């Protein structure tokens, strides 16, 4: 009966561990692939689209109404062209289509600008968007600059056309960027996320909307520099003043737009800031004092609009998680109470990630213990079964208390009740991820060592008179103490600010070596049991028989912690007022909405 129960339990535990690992591996694969998909849109890097077939099939199941990402040629102009064929009046999709055509040089000549002007006639965005391919024609295939730094213009007619487009943009009454509304449509296609990975996948898929203007483009700066060089050479001060006024008008349209603070406007604002620098250079050439002062003031405003957030307070540094820490701009109005739920959700997610490999290692440990109980001769196994009643209930309580409860209580107390757990540090810090891996790994090693050592101790107490005692028991306890001390020792790195980078590496290697002592002791015990003679095999067999049910209990406890971590993750996601998609109706989430509101408020200084 006992053997059958252990066999069934082993099969169930193996299946459960496999399910946990496969589920995590699948979510990790999905997240990585959608990140690569969005990277192709933003930075033109990432995996071959053919590798994302599994992801696309998954997206078709969970988000069948997704506007972008399900097409066989996702990310290309063909995808948006097919959508526009069904709904020609979709202005958000029209903007995305034109943006992709401009970025794909082999499609830029196919753009029907007359149709664009008919559908969205008052929008200054499209004349500005046309400047980049027009300048490419003006420069030709040769270098943009001459040896003296002057801008080379191969086709003056094409360059004049680019200037006309900028003048046309200055004359338009509005600037409207539909990228954010299309991003929100991407988010709305997904069901409510049940985990952090699902939330991050939806957010990455929203990034498939390609930004219309990129902050690293120098098109407007080049246009302004070349034009200012020509105006200075001609001594045309009035022409430069007129060009400066047009720059102010275009910038004012962008700042006054409803989308002034949105992510999609970062690129155009950065380009206008660089363009203002070129115009300022021209104004300096004519020594136009009043205009220089005005240009410097307006450029400083644009600089603040595109810059990152101010230094955080100590309270905010403690409460923000790695997602918020990696955000370019954290709104000043956000309080520590608002950021804490997202950080706690991230920690619950991290626990779930770490539980998968630790559960697997615990299963391997339990399997090796079980192997030792089964591989001995029939005579040894019968004798061991006959001696098992010598262990009383209190002996098993000692094994459970010292082998399971104490190690994880020690780990939890150190990492959750003291600063040694680095819970106030961000994942982007150099050593945080490594310490978060070392500490639970050391907790598992400590548990395995204490299970075996406690079982050896209790058999020595109950069967010492018949030769079941152990020699040099202090070695096992010393190894357990060394392994346990590696948990606070790893966290103590935070107090050694004077160490250099190499010295910090040596310190962490040393703490990892402390935990590795437990692994070496376990290997030694395994080797001694493996090569023990038949006469000496009874004691290790009895130790393993006493350890096996509690080793399996340890695996089950780790598996139970997985849904508990998932429940905590969902709990804190539901309380998160910043990142969850339900926190905003118009933007990707409330964080983006509040970023936009703050930038919009700062832009009021333009007047």
């Amino acid at each position: 009966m006992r053997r059958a129960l252990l066999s069934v339990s082993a099969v169930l535990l193996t299946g459960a561990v496999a399910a946990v690992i496969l589920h995590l591996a699948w979510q990790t694969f999905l997240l990585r692939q959608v990140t690569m998909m969005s990277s192709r849109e933003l930075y033109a890097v990432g995996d071959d689209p053919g590798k994302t077939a599994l992801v696309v099939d998954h997206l078709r199941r969970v988000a069948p109404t997704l506007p972008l990402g399900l097409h066989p040629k996702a990310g290309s102009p063909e995808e948006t062209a097919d959508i526009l064929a069904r709904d020609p009046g979709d202005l958000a999709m029209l903007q995305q289509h034109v943006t992709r055509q401009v970025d794909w040089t082999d499609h830029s000549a196919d753009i029907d600008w007359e149709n664009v002007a008919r559908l969205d006639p008052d929008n200054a965005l499209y004349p500005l968007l046309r400047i980049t391919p027009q300048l490419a024609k003006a420069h030709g295939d040769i270098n943009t600059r001459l040896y003296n730094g002057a801008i080379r213009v191969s086709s003056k007619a094409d360059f004049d056309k680019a200037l006309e487009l900028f003048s046309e943009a200055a004359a338009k009454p509005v600037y409207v960027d539909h990228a954010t509304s299309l991003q929100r449509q991407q988010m709305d296609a997904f069901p409510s996320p049940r985990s952090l990975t699902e939330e991050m996948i939806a957010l990455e898929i929203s990034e498939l909307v390609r930004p219309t203007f990129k902050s690293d483009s120098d098109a407007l700066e080049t246009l302004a520099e070349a034009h200012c060089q020509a105006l200075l050479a001609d001594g045309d001060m009035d022409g430069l003043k007129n060009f400066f006024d047009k720059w102010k008008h275009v910038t004012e349209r962008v700042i006054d737009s409803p989308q002034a603070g949105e992510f999609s406007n970062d690129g155009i604002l950065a380009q206008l800031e660089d363009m203002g620098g070129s115009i300022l250079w021209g104004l300096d050439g004519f020594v136009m004092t009043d205009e220089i002062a005005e240009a410097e003031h307006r450029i400083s405003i644009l600089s603040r609009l595109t810059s990152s957030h101010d230094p955080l307070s100590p309270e905010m540094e403690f409460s923000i998680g790695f997602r918020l820490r990696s955000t370019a701009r954290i709104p000043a109005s956000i309080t520590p109470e608002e950021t804490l739920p997202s950080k706690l959700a991230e920690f619950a997610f991290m626990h779930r990630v770490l539980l998968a490999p630790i559960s697997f290692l615990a299963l391997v440990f339990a399997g090796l213990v079980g192997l030792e109980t089964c591989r001995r001769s029939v005579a040894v196994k019968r004798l061991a079964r006959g001696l098992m009643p010598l262990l009383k209930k209190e002996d098993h309580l000692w094994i459970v208390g010292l082998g399971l409860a104490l190690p994880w209580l020690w780990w939890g107390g150190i990492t959750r009740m003291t600063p040694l757990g680095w819970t106030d540090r961000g994942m982007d810090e150099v050593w945080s991820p490594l310490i978060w891996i070392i500490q639970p790994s050391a907790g598992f090693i400590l548990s395995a060592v204490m299970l075996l050592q406690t079982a050896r101790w209790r058999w020595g107490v109950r069967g010492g008179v018949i030769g079941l005692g152990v020699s040099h028991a202090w070695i096992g306890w010393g190894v357990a103490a060394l392994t346990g001390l590696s948990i606070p020792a790893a966290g103590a790195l935070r107090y050694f600010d004077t160490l250099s980078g190499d010295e910090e590496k040596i310190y962490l290697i040393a703490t990892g070596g402390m935990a590795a002592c437990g692994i070496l002791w376990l290997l030694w015990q395994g080797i001694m049991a493996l090569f023990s003679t038949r006469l000496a095999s009874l004691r290790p067999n009895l130790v393993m028989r006493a350890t096996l049910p509690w080793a399996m209990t340890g695996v089950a406890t780790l598996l139970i912690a997985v849904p508990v971590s998932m429940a905590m993750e969902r709990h804190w996601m539901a309380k998160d007022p910043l990142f969850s998609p339900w926190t905003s109706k118009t933007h990707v989430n409330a964080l983006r909405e509040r970023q936009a509101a703050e930038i919009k408020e700062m832009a009021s200084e333009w007047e």
Side-chain angles (χ1 to χ4, degrees):
M1 181 66 182
R2 181 177 181 273
R3 182 181 299 178
L5 181 61
L6 288 175
S7 300
V8 172
S9 300
V11 172
L12 292 177
L13 289 176
T14 303
V17 170
V20 168
I21 293 175
L22 290 175
H23 180 258
L24 180 62
W26 171 244
Q27 288 195 321
T28 304
F29 169 78
L30 287 176
L31 184 57
R32 181 185 182 279
Q33 290 301 315
V34 298
T35 301
M36 292 297 102
M37 291 171 66
S38 63
S39 295
R40 282 199 303 272
E41 297 305 303
L42 293 174
Y43 312 112
V45 297
D47 289 347
D48 186 336
K51 297 180 181 179
T52 61
L54 287 174
V55 180
V56 174
D57 291 340
H58 171 75
L59 293 176
R60 284 198 179 99
R61 291 193 299 271
V62 300
T65 61
L66 192 66
L68 299 175
L70 302 181
H71 194 273
K73 294 185 177 180
S76 70
E78 284 86 349
E79 178 183 30
T80 47
D82 289 349
I83 298 173
L84 286 173
R86 298 191 297 269
D87 185 6
D90 188 341
L91 294 182
M93 197 60 66
L94 173 67
Q95 176 185 316
Q96 184 65 197
H97 179 59
V98 174
T99 300
R100 291 184 177 186
Q101 286 183 301
V102 169
D103 287 346
W104 289 50
T105 54
D106 54 339
H107 287 75
S108 59
D110 301 331
I111 302 176
D112 186 357
W113 290 112
E114 293 183 0
N115 183 52
V116 172
R118 178 179 60 82
L119 292 172
D120 203 357
D122 298 328
N123 195 350
L125 179 143
Y126 292 107
L128 292 174
L129 186 58
R130 294 179 64 183
I131 290 175
T132 299
Q134 194 64 44
L135 275 181
K137 292 181 181 179
H139 296 320
D141 296 330
I142 57 178
N143 293 331
T144 302
R145 293 182 182 272
L146 298 172
Y147 66 91
N148 61 358
I151 303 295
R152 182 194 295 272
V153 176
S154 301
S155 172
K156 190 174 185 305
D158 287 321
F159 185 80
D160 290 341
K161 177 62 177 176
L163 286 174
E164 290 176 12
L165 289 170
F166 189 76
S167 300
E168 181 183 341
K172 295 288 186 180
V174 295
Y175 177 92
V176 182
D177 191 332
H178 301 283
T180 297
S181 64
L182 187 54
Q183 274 198 320
R184 186 64 225 184
Q185 292 179 43
Q186 294 279 99
M187 296 292 289
D188 289 337
F190 286 89
S192 180
R194 297 167 298 176
S195 66
L196 209 59
T197 48
E198 291 183 1
E199 184 176 293
M200 290 190 288
I201 286 171
L203 184 60
E204 288 293 339
I205 289 296
S206 74
E207 300 292 344
L208 292 178
V209 179
R210 185 172 300 190
T212 309
F213 298 96
K214 296 179 174 63
S215 57
D216 58 352
S217 172
D218 63 350
L220 295 183
E221 181 184 15
T222 301
L223 177 71
E225 188 174 348
H227 189 46
C228 288
Q229 287 175 356
L231 292 174
L232 284 172
D234 296 339
D236 189 355
M237 185 181 298
D238 291 336
L240 181 57
K241 189 176 185 304
N242 182 47
F243 190 58
F244 178 44
D245 289 338
K246 290 177 181 177
W247 173 79
K248 289 191 294 184
H249 291 157
V250 170
T251 308
E252 185 176 348
R253 298 291 181 273
V254 175
I255 288 177
D256 286 343
S257 68
Q259 302 84 19
E262 296 174 1
F263 92 104
S264 55
N265 268 11
D266 288 348
I268 186 61
L269 288 174
Q271 288 195 44
L272 289 170
E273 180 188 354
D274 294 338
M275 187 181 190
S278 297
I279 294 174
L280 179 60
W281 171 81
L283 296 173
D284 282 333
F286 282 120
V287 196
M288 302 168 68
T289 308
D290 293 340
E291 285 77 5
I292 289 173
E294 182 182 2
E296 289 177 342
H297 171 67
R298 296 187 182 280
I299 291 172
S300 67
I301 294 174
L302 289 175
S303 178
R304 289 198 299 274
L305 295 181
T306 56
S307 63
S308 59
H309 54 81
D310 295 330
L312 300 174
S313 66
E315 294 78 9
M316 284 292 290
E317 285 284 358
F318 173 79
S319 63
I320 63 175
F322 68 88
R323 287 182 299 166
L324 193 57
R325 195 179 295 273
S326 62
T327 302
R329 176 184 289 275
I330 299 177
S333 61
I334 290 182
T335 63
E337 291 75 17
E338 292 177 301
T339 63
L340 196 57
S342 64
K343 179 180 180 178
L344 294 174
E346 291 163 11
F347 270 113
F349 167 72
M350 183 185 66
H351 291 161
R352 180 162 63 91
V353 171
L354 290 174
L355 280 169
I358 292 177
S359 298
F360 174 75
L361 293 175
L363 182 66
V364 171
F365 172 73
L368 292 175
V369 170
L371 178 63
E372 172 59 28
T373 65
C374 299
R375 73 179 190 89
R376 297 298 178 178
S377 64
V378 175
V380 171
K381 288 190 289 186
R382 284 180 178 176
L383 182 58
R385 283 197 296 269
L387 291 174
M388 282 301 294
L390 289 177
L391 280 187
K392 307 301 181 182
K393 184 182 297 184
E394 54 267 29
D395 298 311
H396 288 286
L397 290 176
W398 276 111
I399 295 172
V400 173
L402 295 182
L404 290 181
L406 180 62
W408 291 113
L409 287 174
W410 171 252
W411 169 82
I414 293 295
T415 60
R416 292 298 171 264
M417 300 179 68
T418 73
L420 298 177
W422 284 49
T423 55
D424 58 330
R425 301 298 181 95
M427 188 170 282
D428 56 339
E429 294 195 27
V430 178
W431 302 118
S432 294
L434 184 58
I435 289 173
W436 293 338
I437 292 173
I438 288 176
Q439 289 179 328
S441 300
F444 161 71
I445 297 170
L446 176 61
S447 179
V449 170
M450 289 295 288
L451 274 173
L452 286 183
Q453 181 64 12
T454 307
R456 295 172 76 225
W457 169 50
R458 297 316 298 172
W459 271 117
V461 171
R462 296 301 180 186
V465 295
I466 58 174
L468 297 180
V470 294
S471 59
H472 305 296
W474 61 270
I475 296 178
W477 297 119
V479 168
L482 197 61
T483 304
L485 287 175
S486 68
I487 297 175
L493 179 63
R494 66 183 297 137
Y495 298 113
F496 298 108
D497 298 331
T498 58
L499 296 181
S500 65
D502 290 338
E503 290 172 335
E504 289 176 336
K505 290 179 183 178
I506 294 172
Y507 180 86
L508 286 177
I509 290 173
T511 56
M514 292 170 63
C517 289
I519 298 178
L520 294 177
W521 185 84
L522 290 170
L523 288 174
W524 175 251
Q525 294 300 315
I527 292 172
M528 293 297 292
L530 184 64
F531 294 102
S532 60
T533 63
R534 179 173 298 182
L535 293 176
S537 63
L538 178 60
R539 184 172 60 195
N541 194 268
L542 286 170
V543 170
M544 297 305 175
R545 285 178 179 273
T547 304
L548 180 59
W550 304 118
M552 296 176 68
T553 301
V555 179
T557 303
L558 291 170
L559 290 173
I560 292 172
V562 173
V564 171
S565 296
M566 295 178 68
M568 293 301 297
E569 190 178 328
R570 286 194 293 270
H571 170 77
W572 290 115
M573 284 175 59
K575 290 182 176 295
D576 181 12
L578 297 176
F579 283 97
S580 298
W582 55 264
T583 57
S584 176
K585 297 296 184 184
T586 56
H587 294 67
V588 168
N589 51 39
L591 177 62
R592 291 276 182 87
E593 187 173 352
R594 291 174 68 169
Q595 287 172 337
E598 181 175 90
I599 296 176
K600 185 72 174 176
E601 182 179 354
M602 294 171 60
S604 62
E605 300 177 24
W606 184 266
E607 298 299 333

